[in-house]
Amino acid sequence: MQQNPVQASGCQAVGKRPNQEDAMALSSASLPSEKGLLAVLCDGMGGMANGERFSAIGTQEMIRCFEESPADDDVCGELLACYRRANAVAMKAQEDSAAPRGGATVTAALIRDRSCAFLSVGDSRIYMLRGGGLIQLTRDQVLGDMLDERAALGLIPAEDAKRSVRRDTLVNCLGMDGAEQCDSCILPFRLHPDDRIALMSDGVYKTLDEATLAALLRLPVKEASERIISETLSRDNPRQDNCSVLVLGFG
Amino acid sequence: MFGKKRRQPEPEVDNSTDITTEPITERYEATTTLEPQMPPEDAGAADGGESAPSCPKLTISRGQTIGHRKKQEDALCHSDWHNPDVLAARGLIAAVADGIGGLSNGDIASGAVVRCVYEGFMKQDNTASPSDRLLELAAAAQRELLDMNRQGAHTGSTLACVLIEGWRMWLMSIGDSRICLYRTGTLLMLNRPHVYQTEREQENALNGEVEDIDARKAKALTAYLGQEKLRYIDRTIQPINLISGDRVLLMSDGVFGTLSEDELLDALRQPAAAAAGAIIAAVEDKQALGQDNATAIVIGVE
């Protein structure tokens, strides 16, 4: 079957931070077409060198595992297996390091046969623009949402949940052992030729509102990724975090 | 409980416990609507952008069949979608609950869940965030079912539920009922079902293990209302932005267990007021052996 190739474009900026701890990667364009395309975006944590190190492990190991293994009919399982391999490398790096512990968020979208499967750990996001309307596909894996649920069920006082200083703490990330489950789709979903998929770190979505994101994602993918980053920087957020976006198009 | 094509007044809560007098093949057709249906595509409106009005026109249809079961253990509810004042004050709630068949009193459980959701919603104002409001409704239903279980009911139910304010929608789901978005001719599942097989497959993939999953347990729920320690609540914190032409589908497993994605898409191409009826008709036409209770709500957004 003749298929249009997936168009992909990534863009990032350091913001007001000393270095870039976000990382992005795409699988090789020379893979057999039945493998499809894997896009990965990670946001590293744990101090400068550690952040860079773990986001690099996340992207590189996910891509390496994907490229080395045969296409699996269970696309969601294939993504989870890539994450498992990447996390094993991250756990090993944790042991080998005298430095404080590091970690990274991981968002990954696998495009195969005009369908998409995705996975996320941490608080980076995957959005889909469909018919001009923006949908966040992933759930942020942050402690605050969990505390709200416990409070609603009467397990902890509501005040404790709302006032917790750890609301933004990640309940899961690459390099964390005993992690909660990944947030992962259970079935790949069919893509429309006009859909856009966008992976992004919190440095983007905490600065730009959804209406702006939706408007910019309608542009051709390269322009979309560049404009999203330039627009983020133009807001002159004094504490602008590293910001990265990876945009996929299917037309 | 509510007949075919009867318009007003319509019951806001369909508590399945008192529909036992209905013939088992009764099919609840979409309530007809006075508004024009499916206006031709209008270039400006499809964007949902500046040109869109502040509130969409919503149309709800619902359908239910008992299938080959002895009892209807699914239940549904939705708030008034005709009244702009109610919509402006509270938004719209719609929910499907599927009482757990393996446990006794599934019908009572699902009926209690939709009643808690509906009554709780009608007491809320829109000061709290929609995601918090949904959580509050789930918590009320959970308290109710735990009380029933402490009195020996031994029961449980799923809940798939959406809250719409203007062009924005939030969802919450516990169990294996599904919430899907039909847009640009494609279907997207929005929630994460809590099913044993899925959970095992994910854990095995993450642990690098291979396991033959016990077929008898494959469809068991890993979370449901009435569970002593409620394990998961799937919910969106950020709104899903609706656009003109969207159809939101809530359904119990009796629907998606029988119909393929393409069959669902065929039914969803109908005008919103007829879509849920078309889905249930398609389920019944299949005459699947042991057909489970099937319930669908379709919300059309124009």
Side-chain angles (χ1 to χ4, degrees), chain B residues 24-47:
Chain B
I24 63 162
T25 53
E26 175 73 61
R27 183 185 299 161
Y28 303 109
E29 300 289 358
T31 22
T32 51
T33 165
L34 297 176
E35 290 89 5
Q37 293 164 1
M38 285 294 283
E41 278 295 323
D42 151 3
D47 280 327

Side-chain angles (χ1 to χ4, degrees), chain A residues 171-201:
Chain A
V171 293
N172 192 7
C173 72
L174 184 86
M176 187 190 275
D177 52 355
E180 302 281 326
Q181 288 187 318
C182 292
D183 179 41
S184 150
C185 61
I186 67 158
L187 288 169
F189 60 90
R190 290 184 214 166
L191 290 162
H192 185 277
D194 297 333
D195 286 343
R196 292 270 191 282
I197 299 278
L199 292 69
M200 67 187 73
S201 59

Side-chain angles (χ1 to χ4, degrees), chain A residues 12-14 17-25 40-61 86 89-90 93-94 97 99-106 174 241-242 244:
Chain A
Q12 62 179 187
V14 173
R17 301 293 171 93
N19 62 336
Q20 179 58 273
E21 299 178 41
D22 290 356
M24 303 182 277
V40 186
L41 183 147
C42 296
D43 177 356
M45 297 162 297
M48 295 193 284
N50 259 340
E52 275 179 42
R53 184 165 170 232
F54 280 88
S55 62
I57 290 172
T59 49
Q60 289 165 14
E61 294 301 322
V89 174
Q94 209 78 273
S97 170
R101 295 174 68 83
T105 71
V106 178
L174 184 86
D241 195 358
N242 297 158
S244 306

Side-chain angles (χ1 to χ4, degrees), chain B residues 2 56 86 118 134 138 153 172 193 200 204 222 248 250 263 265 281:
Chain B
F2 49 93
V86 175
Y118 179 75
L134 283 172
M172 181 178 64
R200 293 303 314 152
N204 289 336
T222 54
V248 180
L250 291 82
E263 288 163 339
L265 287 169

Side-chain angles (χ1 to χ4, degrees), chain A residues 84-130:
Chain A
R84 172 173 61 84
R85 290 259 302 265
N87 197 41
V89 174
M91 295 306 297
K92 184 82 173 38
Q94 209 78 273
E95 287 165 23
D96 294 348
S97 170
R101 295 174 68 83
T105 71
V106 178
T107 48
L110 201 174
I111 312 300
R112 177 180 295 163
D113 198 19
R114 298 219 148 265
S115 290
C116 173
F118 65 85
L119 168 154
S120 169
V121 291
D123 68 348
S124 297
R125 289 182 181 171
I126 304 178
Y127 282 95
M128 176 162 70
L129 186 78
R130 174 168 281 182

